[in-house]
Amino acid sequence: MPARGGHTRPRGLAPAVLLHTGGTMRREEPGLVVLPSRLAGVEVVRVAGDTRLWSGVSTRYGVTAVYAGAFDFWYRGRAWTQAPGVLKLKEPGEVHRDLRVHAPVTAQSMTLEAPLVEGTAHELGLRAPPHLPTLLEGQGRAEALALHAALGNPDSDALGLQCLLAGMLAALLGAGSGVPVDAAPRARRAALRARDLLHESVAEGVSLDALAVASGVGRFHLLRTFRQELGLTPHAYLTHLRISRARELLARGVPAARVALEVGLYDQSQLHRHFVRIVGTSPGAYARAVRGTSTSPKKGAGRAAHPRR
């Protein structure tokens, strides 16, 4: 599997597996799937119920997450074991060889072109990307798992993925989280310029690169300072702006399906999910409450119609 190596020697697939994702159980048929390319320089491959042994030479950087099963592999001169909860990292030019599968493996791997990682290191002020550990349990793990989850979610939008990728790379490459005192005023100005562009881009959206150009700082510096100054990532901030605009449109009687498109969301289901998370009630209940059309047919129903602030 490209997620665990390159050339293969197949040994078979296990029965369908149940995968726990985001509070729900999703049934996955055994096999290998190449996910659609959604980030420049990043490829994503997923296997479910896999019992094959894989080997190969890495030509890209790799970050693999195992969700079920376990296997032993040879890498960097010794044997290792990967199980759920631990990430495996790879660097270009290194050999990986599976030794033994303890239980059918469900895993997802992202591989990153070397110029993407090297360019990030340069932008962060590093001479070259640092040598990555083989197995990752500490810094960067949460960021990598969040990006893996978003890459597997078809509703994830471009800015959200770009922010997650930048955050993961910054964490993996060991970027510091602090901003020097003498840089604080400049950092705040940069965050505010990016914020202004987000306000102008609610419907059409905006890329992380465009935000960086507008702010006058690099992408990784922008992500760090934006969160420090405003308390949210640019993507989360834009989502809140979209839901705020959706509230205005719903209060005016605009149908939810049309509202979703006018605020830059994919569809009504995406609007519903973000609206419930941020406001605390559904778009329909909110519209009925603010327009005074709720019939309150059930005891306690009125409570759900009052949104969070």
Side-chain angles (χ1 to χ4, degrees):
M1 139 188 178
R4 280 160 46 195
H7 305 291
T8 68
R9 179 162 64 88
R11 286 187 50 190
L13 295 170
V17 297
L18 288 175
L19 177 67
H20 186 273
T21 55
T24 62
M25 296 298 290
R26 176 162 62 86
R27 186 179 180 84
E28 282 198 307
E29 294 300 324
L32 182 149
V33 176
V34 179
L35 300 185
S37 177
R38 304 169 67 194
L39 284 169
V42 179
E43 292 181 356
V44 185
V45 175
R46 186 175 187 89
V47 295
D50 190 29
T51 59
R52 292 173 286 187
L53 296 178
W54 303 82
S55 63
V57 177
S58 301
T59 59
R60 301 156 64 103
Y61 288 88
V63 183
T64 298
V66 169
Y67 301 102
F71 62 95
D72 297 336
F73 63 96
W74 184 93
Y75 187 58
R76 295 179 179 173
R78 55 159 285 192
W80 308 78
T81 299
Q82 186 171 12
V86 180
L87 296 176
K88 178 180 183 298
L89 306 182
K90 294 190 295 185
E91 296 181 22
E94 297 184 319
V95 175
H96 166 106
R97 185 175 71 253
D98 284 348
L99 302 174
R100 176 189 178 193
V101 176
H102 296 278
V105 174
T106 295
Q108 183 169 294
S109 176
M110 70 178 91
T111 59
L112 302 91
E113 293 179 354
L116 173 63
V117 179
E118 293 161 1
T120 299
H122 178 74
E123 190 172 340
L124 293 170
L126 304 174
R127 291 181 178 272
H131 185 55
L132 300 177
T134 299
L135 297 178
L136 181 67
E137 298 181 82
Q139 180 173 330
R141 176 180 176 274
E143 292 84 353
L145 289 174
L147 178 56
H148 266 298
L151 287 167
N153 181 355
D155 288 338
S156 301
D157 61 28
L159 178 59
L161 290 172
Q162 292 164 7
C163 289
L164 288 170
L165 173 62
M168 181 195 75
L169 288 174
L172 290 179
L173 297 177
S177 59
V179 176
V181 174
D182 58 357
R186 177 173 175 264
R188 178 161 181 80
R189 288 194 298 270
L192 295 181
R193 285 193 291 267
R195 181 199 63 182
D196 291 343
L197 181 55
L198 288 170
H199 278 267
E200 297 169 6
S201 309
V202 172
E204 65 273 21
V206 64
S207 70
L208 182 58
D209 285 339
L211 288 173
V213 170
S215 67
V217 298
R219 295 173 300 161
F220 303 95
H221 184 65
L222 172 62
L223 281 176
R224 189 164 58 240
T225 58
F226 193 97
R227 188 179 186 105
Q228 286 179 336
E229 294 293 336
L230 300 171
L232 294 170
T233 66
H235 177 249
Y237 190 92
L238 178 60
T239 300
H240 278 261
L241 290 180
R242 285 171 164 165
I243 297 306
S244 179
R245 176 62 176 156
R247 290 170 68 167
E248 296 174 5
L249 294 174
L250 289 167
R252 285 164 35 193
V254 179
R258 181 178 156 196
V259 168
L261 298 179
E262 291 199 13
V263 301
L265 298 174
Y266 290 121
D267 53 29
Q268 190 171 343
S269 65
Q270 191 181 36
L271 170 67
H272 184 277
R273 185 172 62 256
H274 288 311
F275 203 96
V276 169
R277 176 175 58 83
I278 293 173
V279 181
T281 189
S282 70
Y286 176 82
R288 290 191 296 271
V290 298
R291 297 176 66 205
T293 57
S294 176
T295 57
S296 300
K298 296 180 181 179
K299 182 179 179 181
R303 257 199 324 264
H306 293 288
R308 299 179 189 147
R309 289 182 289 178

